Amino acid sequence: MILSVSCVMSTVSSGQHTRPMCYLLLLMILQLGLHTAEGVWPLPQTLISSTERFHLSPQAFYFGYGRQSAAQQGCSVLDAAFKRYFALIFPDYTSGRWNLFSDKNESKILLQICLCYNLSVFSGRASLKAVTVWGALRGLESFSQLVYQDDFGSYFVNKTDIKDFPRFQFRGILLDTSRHYLPVQAILKTLDAMAYSKFNVFHWHIVDDPSFPYQSRTFPDLSSKGAFHPMTHIYTQSDVRRVISHARMRGIRVLPEFDSPGHTKSWGKGQPDLLTPCYKGGIPSGTFGPINPALPSTYHFMATLFKEVSVVFPDSYIHLGGDEVDFSCWKSNPYVRAFMQKMGFGSDFTKLEAFYMENIVNITSALNKTSIVWQDVFDYHERVSTPQQITHINYEVRSTLFFYYAELSRMTKAGMRVVLAAPWYINHISYGQDWHNYYTVQPLNFSGTEEQKKLVIGGEVCMWGEYVDATNLTPRLWPRASAAAERLWSDEKQTSNVDMAFPRLQDFRCKLVRRGIQAEPLYVGHCKQEYQGI
Amino acid sequence: MILSVSCVMSTVSSGQHTRPMCYLLLLMILQLGLHTAEGVWPLPQTLISSTERFHLSPQAFYFGYGRQSAAQQGCSVLDAAFKRYFALIFPDYTSGRWNLFSDKNESKILLQICLCYNLSVFSGRASLKAVTVWGALRGLESFSQLVYQDDFGSYFVNKTDIKDFPRFQFRGILLDTSRHYLPVQAILKTLDAMAYSKFNVFHWHIVDDPSFPYQSRTFPDLSSKGAFHPMTHIYTQSDVRRVISHARMRGIRVLPEFDSPGHTKSWGKGQPDLLTPCYKGGIPSGTFGPINPALPSTYHFMATLFKEVSVVFPDSYIHLGGDEVDFSCWKSNPYVRAFMQKMGFGSDFTKLEAFYMENIVNITSALNKTSIVWQDVFDYHERVSTPQQITHINYEVRSTLFFYYAELSRMTKAGMRVVLAAPWYINHISYGQDWHNYYTVQPLNFSGTEEQKKLVIGGEVCMWGEYVDATNLTPRLWPRASAAAERLWSDEKQTSNVDMAFPRLQDFRCKLVRRGIQAEPLYVGHCKQEYQGI
């Protein structure tokens, strides 16, 4: 058997991908057998499987680059993926054994990976052909899910033909590391699980009101005074590099969010004069509001901070927040009010916020970053939003299905690209099979033209941190987020039935558990291998 | 410092306790210092603490039996507890080091445990005086919670005077190992955490409709055919012994439940002719209902099974279930109907169920077991219930606060002893701080005489297993169950305010996390030591 991967474009060195990937997976069968394969989650665009099965022997299983492949040994992403997927496919052989394919071994069972364009199918081989190296990673994931063990521990893979590509290019998960600190290990584990569900964006809501765990080189006081603990509850530069590298190896981009001007209480601890002093009865009350938009020093600070951030986080996108700004403190402050008069804003504080956001967007644009902001910025400051930006649709629990359709319609009509987050606030829990709610979302079911629908570039599962830290993150996230993953990856018509999805998601959840992901059960039942991590 | 424990009664050998324990903990202080002790959860009946603090050096910390103590070295429960609590108090010294007290070392810091009745306080010592060895365990738990570390890692304990006893004698947690199989390790870990919250009954809902994981010596087919998997998803005799022993060492009784005649689908797989064949159109439909109460073979089987169970589970109580019996299958079966006629039950199937339960209660009574049944048995078969039994109050989510008060009133008026479970169905989750609901329960706030209120012997937190297995058991259970634990242990008036409980429960939750219990956060914030088990 040969699995050859063809990547049309050699984008290995680009570091991050920004466009849809496609790949093609074809497995040829040498031996006949029973059909017990359980399939792939999220569902590939086309999958034709047979009951014919092929025995895989870990001792005679090889990954290798084809001779015509543009990528060869030394391609760090695929080299590492071979090692990782060998361990995932054959968990009983965890010594990390993986051999490169050699043409001399053609009588053995081979998995050949090349970047040639044409697909070649030989007896006893399978081929994987991908447009990008990131697509090859998705194909390896699908392949790994096709391999199964019988009751005696032998490994099998059924004859399968897959043609696959993602429906949406942006498939994100937001983690909130401010309301609770998440140890780096918890983030890395989440990235592992994200790759299993083919998520490709880690939206790192890294700082917020409660704490500022990002350790800035330029402004070390931000974390030394604003983190929960200056030594143990921070992300060092090395931690961030580790997260970005771990993500990149799995085809996941890291989108950092430094939310302002609201949600910045923790910033004020380490940066004097950044937040607006609130007034009461004509004198400062001692409390502070959002970032002070009336001081030139604010913009100098933000430019310096974002200059650092833009280097530390290499992704071309940056999230600027902009949500939930409370105007009461600004209103109370006589200097802010004087600034309003000077700028001709009258008493319209949305203009002040727009002015602030415009400045921040300009700062990051000058750093060659594309901005993402929460929907509030679109709602209140349309003049700030330009079609170059991608606007997050962001609703809290008050959001209804009907409501976010109206917003999608309105924002795409204005030419905005949008990422849909509203229906996937997965931190909200309820009793029973609430994954149904995440699965049955129809992101394009709003009234609009075909052009408008193309502006919906994807969706995002948000795990806000009020009630979540490393103790319960994983079981709350998985497999509930996997339901959204299928909605974002797979064809909607083929995945419209929750009852048909149920046994597939149950099976996928057991695969997660087998891989050491503490994914909670959907309903009564069991996994062949239960979670042993207690 | 000396901590001397006095147990009035020498009940070490009894194995299981059935009555309230009391203990008295007094710590004397040698050095002055800052007050940073965080207290004890659940709140002791009286606790007087001082800001004076005493430095504890792990190298010079000793447990020992006093010379006048009835228990001496060789008392397995306390010997093991010393070892366990040394590791809990000094997690940095996990080599398991613990030395017995020797009088020669009086210049060192000593923790002396004896079973003498009179409390003696010496300078530099603390004493723990307990009525039973189980009370001594509770006192050790309280002591361990009083010890804290400063920022430099030094250990301290503040001057504290505690007089304590539980409000209710029955403080249980139900785990359901039928809807999902829980690996033994998950049960043992739960027992550890139960001891930290001073729970003392593990109600093991071991079998039910979906699976029969208990491996019976007498009827091995019950698990080989009725478990999710005959080899990997069972509890062997050795597993059960391990659970009981682990529980006993922590002062926890194991109350097994073999629920019948309903909830027995899995029993039918391994025991032919046990379940009632359902009929449709005059012929057997191929499906089965509750246990067949019309066949003598049923009672022979149940007597044999319970004979084994009563030996395997040494506790004097046994739970017989009896809940949610669906009569439709019995009604459909002509032989059952004929039996009804013969017995003079007419068409009142509650009489048939009462007949069945009466037989089962008689079987277990003959084995010297006290029966516990779910409330249904009281509701429908009052003639079965006798004051010797303890009746569980059991409501599903339909239950309202008002409703279970009425039931408590009604059942205690009939002279029944009751265990309150209705408000603590902790498997039901919702977003936010739902521990408030478990904390604000007032078990005795029903209308009834003082005599009636004495019949409420305790309460139970139920973790039904529809959506719970080893992946999410611990974060769903803790610290939410700890809220109920305080209600069951502590004085109601002293613990009537959730806002005052909040910081204490937050602190206790961090203590659980530090001990390796994956207890989820209550709200935004952090623990000095976050969960590292990912």
Side-chain angles (χ1 to χ4, degrees), chain A residues 488-508:
Chain A
L488 292 170
W489 179 281
S490 308
D491 180 67
E492 194 170 280
K493 285 194 189 114
Q494 289 183 62
T495 55
S496 60
N497 188 319
V498 285
D499 295 332
M500 282 173 68
F502 176 68
R504 292 178 48 246
L505 187 54
Q506 266 198 321
D507 170 66
F508 177 66

Side-chain angles (χ1 to χ4, degrees), chain A residues 292-336:
Chain A
N292 194 334
L295 297 179
S297 60
T298 289
Y299 302 101
H300 181 69
F301 165 80
M302 294 299 281
T304 314
L305 179 66
F306 277 119
K307 191 175 172 190
E308 173 186 324
V309 166
S310 70
V311 174
V312 173
F313 294 90
D315 197 82
S316 60
Y317 287 11
I318 192 163
H319 201 299
L320 302 177
D323 57 321
E324 301 176 327
V325 182
D326 177 10
F327 294 148
S328 59
C329 185
W330 282 351
K331 281 180 188 168
S332 79
N333 185 301
Y335 299 96
V336 171

Side-chain angles (χ1 to χ4, degrees), chain A residues 12 65 72 74-81 248-249:
Chain A
V12 177
Y65 295 91
Q72 288 293 339
C75 164
S76 60
V77 171
L78 288 180
D79 284 357
R248 179 178 172 276
M249 297 302 271

Side-chain angles (χ1 to χ4, degrees), chain B residues 59-253:
Chain B
Q59 288 85 355
F61 184 90
Y62 296 92
F63 288 104
Y65 296 91
R67 261 176 291 188
Q68 292 175 294
S69 173
Q72 288 293 339
Q73 199 174 355
C75 165
S76 61
V77 170
L78 288 180
D79 284 357
F82 292 166
K83 190 169 181 178
R84 214 162 57 234
Y85 278 102
F86 187 89
L88 289 174
I89 292 168
F90 306 112
D92 302 341
Y93 297 79
T94 47
S95 56
R97 181 187 172 284
W98 64 286
N99 294 307
L100 282 178
F101 162 65
S102 148
D103 266 0
K104 291 169 199 153
N105 289 320
E106 268 194 271
S107 63
K108 294 190 180 181
I109 295 149
L110 303 171
L111 186 69
Q112 182 187 5
I113 301 226
C114 67
L115 287 168
C116 52
Y117 179 76
N118 290 316
L119 173 67
S120 299
V121 177
F122 301 98
S123 170
R125 297 189 170 194
S127 70
L128 171 63
K129 192 171 164 183
V131 178
T132 67
V133 66
W134 316 112
L137 289 179
R138 309 296 170 228
L140 280 169
E141 174 55 39
S142 293
F143 177 76
S144 74
Q145 293 188 23
L146 290 173
V147 179
Y148 59 94
Q149 282 183 285
D150 67 9
D151 284 345
F152 308 100
S154 294
Y155 292 94
F156 294 91
V157 62
N158 283 34
K159 181 178 176 179
T160 307
D161 189 355
I162 289 176
K163 288 186 180 58
D164 203 7
F165 52 86
R167 181 180 178 202
F168 293 106
Q169 65 165 289
F170 189 114
R171 304 178 303 280
I173 286 196
L174 175 148
L175 293 185
D176 169 2
T177 57
S178 173
R179 290 176 178 84
H180 285 98
Y181 176 80
L182 295 173
V184 171
Q185 195 53 40
I187 297 175
L188 301 184
K189 193 94 173 183
T190 302
L191 291 167
D192 290 347
M194 283 173 68
Y196 303 154
S197 286
K198 299 191 171 74
F199 281 103
N200 69 345
V201 179
F202 167 39
H203 177 172
W204 194 349
H205 189 86
I206 191 166
V207 297
D208 203 301
D209 283 329
S211 75
F212 196 104
Y214 171 73
Q215 189 177 47
S216 163
R217 275 193 305 252
T218 328
F219 302 104
D221 278 355
L222 288 172
S223 64
S224 71
K225 297 182 178 168
F228 284 131
H229 188 283
M231 307 297 282
T232 57
H233 286 62
I234 58 168
Y235 301 107
T236 65
Q237 298 282 315
S238 143
D239 290 336
V240 172
R241 273 198 302 275
R242 199 167 154 213
V243 167
I244 293 171
S245 162
H246 196 91
R248 180 179 171 276
M249 296 302 270
R250 284 150 185 81
I252 297 169
R253 297 160 44 194

